[in-house]
């Protein structure tokens, strides 16, 4: 096993199908424990950056917090019904599921020692964490990290004046809930960044439902202020998905519903196509580890040009 200078773990969105990701992670954790002879090792001991979108953001935050995979699995298995409680009939056109179940689980999980809500800048996160969400108010993708050097994580601006909208002061549970606010399934999450309030929805409604590439760019492009080394022997990216389904239209359904049936397939088709493109780019940019005992999409070996994601615009 190559000892890379920096290691990234990327976790896709996919709702309750995150249970598939968890089983991949369980095997990964077991392999690492056996290799290092450390039965207590957790993935936060091995990876330097953990990125996640939607359900992947929930799992990523738990792992970064120091949870062993068995504990993450137990949380999903025991709290799934609470996370996905049907909304009352009068809220049918607002969201399919209630948001308070997931919200309460997250709020109770990510706490400081004194019982207050942990912020993105908490010292209890053992790795760098990247959470992807979409700012529905501005129409921007927000890949947010706890890197203290990141531009929007500064408490003073470039002129030395106090900056009230520091991302590190945002409640961690709220960012995760925002990343998992899938339209139709959960209502948006309202986040206050003084003096404004923004409405956030699921990070899957961006190009980064598979956050592998944005995680690699965040780690290596100078604009993100980490500037990690590149090279297949220096930077390792491991990406775990939630399974894949083909978005198909049967002849019978097409005949019965015509235009409506085609429109229904657009969201799933876009997500599927974008995910495939992200995966292809990772493979092109790096040395894909295929046919090995490691389940890995790529080890980024060169820099890639990318415009900086829009933020507060």
């Amino acid at each position: 096993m190559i000892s890379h200078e920096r290691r990234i773990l990327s976790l896709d969105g996919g709702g309750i199908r995150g249970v598939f990701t968890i089983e991949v992670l369980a095997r990964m954790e077991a392999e690492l424990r056996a290799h290092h002879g450390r039965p207590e090792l957790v993935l936060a001991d091995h990876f330097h950056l953990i990125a996640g979108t939607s359900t992947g953001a929930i799992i990523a935050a738990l792992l970064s917090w120091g949870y062993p995979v068995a504990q993450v699995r137990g949380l999903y298995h025991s709290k799934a019904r609470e996370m996905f409680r049907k909304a009352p009939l009068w809220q049918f056109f607002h969201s399919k599921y209630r948001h308070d179940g997931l919200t309460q689980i997250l709020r109770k999980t990510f706490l400081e020692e004194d019982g207050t809500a942990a912020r993105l800048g908490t010292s209890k996160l053992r790795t760098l964490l990247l959470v992807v969400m979409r700012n529905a108010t501005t129409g921007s993708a927000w890949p947010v990290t706890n890197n203290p050097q990141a531009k929007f994580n500064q408490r003073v601006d470039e002129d030395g004046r106090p900056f009230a909208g520091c991302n590190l002061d945002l409640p961690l549970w709220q960012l995760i809930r925002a990343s998992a606010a899938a339209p139709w399934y959960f209502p948006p999450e309202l986040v206050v960044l003084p003096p404004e309030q923004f409405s956030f929805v699921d990070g899957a409604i961006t190009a980064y439902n598979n956050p592998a590439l944005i995680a690699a760019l965040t780690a290596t492009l100078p604009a993100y202020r980490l500037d990690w080394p590149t090279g297949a022997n220096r930077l390792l990216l491991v990406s775990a998905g939630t399974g894949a389904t083909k978005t198909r239209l049967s002849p019978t359904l097409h005949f019965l519903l015509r235009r409506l049936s085609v429109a229904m397939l657009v969201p799933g088709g876009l997500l599927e196509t974008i995910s495939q493109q992200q995966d292809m780019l990772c493979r092109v940019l790096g040395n894909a580890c295929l046919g090995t005992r490691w389940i890995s999409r790529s080890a980024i070996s060169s820099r890639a040009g990318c415009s900086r994601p829009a933020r507060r615009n």
Side-chain angles (χ1 to χ4, degrees):
M1 182 185 297
I2 299 173
S3 179
H4 298 87
E5 293 178 36
R6 290 288 187 268
R7 294 177 288 272
I8 303 171
L9 177 62
S10 170
L11 307 175
D12 291 10
I16 196 60
R17 292 188 308 179
V19 296
F20 296 111
T21 303
I22 290 170
E23 295 310 311
V24 173
L25 297 174
R27 177 63 182 273
M28 190 185 307
E29 185 184 69
E31 294 279 354
L32 287 169
R33 287 176 172 180
H35 175 79
H36 293 287
R38 294 175 53 192
E40 77 291 345
L41 179 144
V42 294
L43 293 179
D45 296 325
H46 184 73
F47 290 98
H48 303 95
L49 167 62
I50 304 180
T53 300
S54 195
T55 195
I58 298 174
I59 299 171
L62 292 169
L63 295 178
S64 182
W65 198 260
Y67 271 48
V69 177
Q71 197 169 348
V72 179
R73 180 197 287 130
L75 182 65
Y76 264 68
H77 287 190
S78 65
K79 300 295 185 179
R81 290 183 182 275
E82 189 175 342
M83 290 182 190
F84 295 97
R85 285 192 296 169
K86 289 287 184 70
L89 186 60
W90 62 84
Q91 293 183 0
F92 177 78
F93 292 103
H94 185 52
S95 63
K96 183 175 181 179
Y97 299 109
R98 298 168 59 102
H99 72 89
D100 51 347
L102 177 58
T103 296
Q104 289 306 313
I105 291 170
L106 296 175
R107 294 189 73 153
K108 291 177 181 177
T109 300
F110 298 104
L111 296 173
E112 298 288 0
E113 296 297 337
D114 60 2
T116 59
R119 307 287 168 167
L120 178 62
T122 178
S123 61
K124 297 195 73 171
L125 289 172
R126 294 169 55 177
T127 72
L128 286 170
L129 175 68
L130 187 152
V131 174
V132 179
M133 62 201 78
R134 175 180 171 81
N135 187 329
T137 303
T138 64
S140 304
W142 275 39
V144 176
T145 75
N146 59 334
N147 170 22
Q149 302 305 316
K151 180 176 180 180
F152 295 103
N153 290 356
Q154 304 295 309
R155 291 190 169 86
V156 294
D157 63 20
E158 295 177 354
D159 297 322
R161 295 171 298 189
F163 181 58
C166 178
N167 286 344
L168 293 179
D169 295 331
L170 293 173
L172 179 58
W173 71 265
Q174 193 171 40
L175 296 176
I176 300 167
R177 220 299 272 172
S179 181
W184 167 246
Y185 292 100
F186 291 106
E189 181 68 22
L190 298 178
V191 178
V192 176
L193 276 163
E196 300 175 86
Q197 176 176 271
F198 298 96
S199 176
F200 284 89
V201 295
D202 198 313
I205 314 301
T206 70
Y208 313 126
N209 185 54
N210 169 3
L213 186 57
I214 189 61
L217 296 178
T218 298
T220 59
L221 293 183
Y224 294 102
R225 303 180 182 179
L226 279 177
D227 207 22
W228 284 1
T230 58
N233 295 328
R234 304 178 72 186
L235 179 63
L236 175 71
L237 169 63
V238 179
S239 179
T242 56
T245 57
K246 288 291 184 181
T247 305
R248 298 189 176 105
L249 176 63
S250 70
T252 302
L253 188 60
H254 184 269
F255 175 78
L256 292 174
L257 299 179
R258 298 291 179 175
R259 285 179 295 177
L260 178 59
S261 62
V262 175
M264 291 168 58
L265 296 179
V266 170
L270 286 174
L271 282 172
E272 178 186 342
T273 303
I274 293 170
S275 181
Q276 289 172 352
Q277 183 194 46
Q278 295 286 305
D279 184 71
M280 181 194 71
L281 289 172
C282 284
R283 294 175 186 274
V284 170
L285 293 172
N287 296 337
C289 302
L290 301 175
T292 68
R293 61 193 304 201
W294 287 101
I295 302 175
S296 174
R297 282 189 181 151
S298 69
I300 297 298
S301 59
S302 62
R303 291 191 185 277
C306 180
S307 60
R308 192 171 185 190
R311 290 296 303 269
R312 293 172 187 163
N313 53 13

